[in-house]
Amino acid sequence: MRTTIRGVLAALALLPALALGAPAASAAPPSPTATASGTAAPATKAGTSFLTAVNLSPGQDADVAVSTGDYLYWAFGASEGQTPTVNLSVNLAPAGDRHGPQTWTVEVFDGLRRRQSCTAGTQNATGDQSATSLTLSCTLREVRTWAEPWSGDPLPGTYYVRLSVTDAPQPDLGLAAAAHLHVAAKGNADNAQPEGGTLKAPLVPPVGGGASTAKAAAPVAEKEHWYTGWFSGWNSRWYWTIGGGFLAALAGVLGYHLTRHPRGRRPGHYGAVPPQGSHQHGSYAERP
């Protein structure tokens, strides 16, 4: 009996020690993961339009489960001197579920949503019914420091990647697939060729824009002139309105005076109308 009581007391004495040791065990450092090297974890989502495009950090990939026939959008940033390359691999649905070949397409747009041409890579890929995966890629031109407004040259800012199915049998739309996206860029700002101009601000849309690595331009102070104060201020428009009304009234009075008496008063003896009753036998009476 005494031995049993001693065992129970010893167990009760160990409870506080176990309670203190439990948090210490839970506070142990977690095991290293794939992001310990500083690389961001792959994105697991994709947007369905330009406004909902998923932003990718520099060096971040995307592994997304997709549905055949959907439009998928991602956004990434590029700076001057870089030559971005978009690499995509698509794992198609099982061959037994498909009813024919499928064609997938990758397109790249800049911050103004202008479609950029690919200088290298397979932009369109077609896989027959037995194919298990497709590989697509698109290499853009070197990002320039500036360009003319009418040109479509790539400029620093946000770029959009769109993955879509351009041709597939109707029954295959909606089948589950998987896509892996990797964006690589070679070169940097030091390799940019001097072209005699600079971009005022990178092409980063205010809504749904991607993470841009381009440096934003510093705000430029507006130049002040001797007439700057005349057109600024909340009450300046009233001064101009009153002055404009006075000038309009003056112009109206002068115009009326000139049109009413264009040559002054005409002489009375020239072109005078004869008085009534002076007509005799079909002719006017002679003037005195």
Side-chain angles (χ1 to χ4, degrees):
M1 183 65 180
R2 293 180 178 179
T3 304
T4 304
I5 295 175
R6 290 177 181 177
V8 173
L9 294 176
L12 293 175
L14 291 175
L15 288 177
L18 294 175
L20 293 175
S26 61
S31 57
T33 60
T35 60
S37 59
T39 304
T44 58
K45 295 181 180 180
T48 56
S49 65
F50 287 102
L51 299 179
T52 60
V54 174
N55 300 331
L56 298 178
S57 303
Q60 184 182 15
D61 296 345
D63 290 315
V64 182
V66 302
S67 178
T68 304
D70 290 345
Y71 283 89
L72 308 175
Y73 290 83
W74 294 275
F76 67 94
S79 58
E80 62 272 10
Q82 291 184 343
T83 304
T85 300
V86 178
N87 298 309
L88 274 162
S89 60
V90 181
N91 294 327
L92 303 176
D97 298 337
R98 303 201 307 269
H99 299 78
Q102 294 182 4
T103 302
W104 292 66
T105 302
V106 59
E107 300 170 283
V108 182
F109 303 83
D110 62 4
L112 299 178
R113 300 179 186 178
R114 301 175 302 183
R115 187 175 180 272
Q116 294 294 321
S117 58
C118 300
T119 60
T122 304
Q123 191 174 0
N124 303 297
T126 302
D128 54 15
Q129 188 173 354
S130 60
T132 58
S133 62
L134 296 175
T135 302
L136 303 98
S137 63
C138 175
T139 300
L140 300 179
R141 295 169 292 173
E142 180 180 344
V143 179
R144 299 182 55 182
T145 56
W146 76 288
E148 297 292 342
W150 49 263
S151 68
D153 297 332
L155 296 172
T158 299
Y159 285 83
Y160 295 94
V161 180
R162 180 170 70 184
L163 177 64
S164 60
V165 178
T166 57
D167 187 17
Q170 186 69 22
D172 292 353
L173 299 179
L175 294 178
H180 175 76
L181 171 66
H182 174 72
V183 180
K186 61 179 181 180
N188 49 39
D190 297 335
N191 299 330
Q193 299 179 0
E195 301 176 7
T198 57
L199 187 65
K200 184 176 181 180
L203 302 180
V204 180
V207 179
S212 175
T213 58
K215 296 176 291 184
V220 180
E222 298 182 358
K223 296 182 179 180
E224 295 186 358
H225 303 278
W226 59 272
Y227 54 83
T228 302
W230 292 10
F231 301 94
S232 62
W234 66 271
N235 56 354
S236 60
R237 60 179 181 176
W238 295 109
Y239 299 152
W240 286 98
T241 302
I242 296 173
F246 176 76
L247 293 177
L250 182 60
V253 172
L254 294 178
Y256 174 79
H257 180 73
L258 294 176
T259 55
R260 184 66 177 84
H261 306 289
R263 297 181 180 178
R265 186 177 299 275
R266 293 180 294 182
H269 66 275
Y270 179 79
V273 179
Q276 296 182 359
S278 60
H279 184 271
Q280 297 178 358
H281 304 288
S283 60
Y284 289 101
E286 294 183 359
R287 296 178 182 177

